[in-house]
Amino acid sequence: MSQTAHLGGRRRNLVFAFVMSGLMSLLMSAVVTLINTGLDAGFPQRWLHAFIVAWAVAFPLVSVIAPLAHRITDAVMARLTKPPQ
C-alpha cells in the first residue's frame, strides 16, 4: 500500500469517526435528555449541553474502538459465512 493510500485511509477513518460520533451523540443525547427531563422551554439548552459532553467523549472513543469493532465484525462474518463441514 502506498503512503498516499495509507494516509487517505487514515483520513477517511478519522472523518468517519467524527461523523458517526457526532450523529450518534446528537441522537442519543436528545433521547436521554427527553426521557430524563421532559420537553419544555429549557430542553434545547439541556440537549445542547448533553450533546457537547457526549461528543467530546464519543469522538475519541470511536476513533480508538473502531478498529477493534472492525476486527470483531470480520471474525463474526467469517464464522457466519463459513461453509458447513
Side-chain angles (χ1 to χ4, degrees), residues 1-74:
M1 177 183 294
S2 72
Q3 182 69 13
T4 305
H6 182 66
L7 288 175
R10 275 184 161 171
R11 187 174 298 135
R12 185 183 190 289
N13 289 342
L14 192 61
V15 170
F16 173 81
F18 184 80
V19 171
M20 178 60 97
S21 64
L23 291 172
M24 289 301 296
S25 297
L26 183 74
L27 297 171
M28 292 304 299
S29 63
V31 170
V32 172
T33 302
L34 182 63
I35 289 169
N36 286 332
T37 66
L39 187 59
D40 60 16
F43 176 78
Q45 291 80 18
R46 291 190 308 274
W47 179 14
L48 178 61
H49 179 264
F51 166 64
I52 291 168
V53 171
W55 202 1
V57 172
F59 177 59
L61 287 177
V62 169
S63 299
V64 170
I65 294 184
L68 174 62
H70 282 291
R71 286 193 298 275
I72 292 169
T73 301
D74 290 343

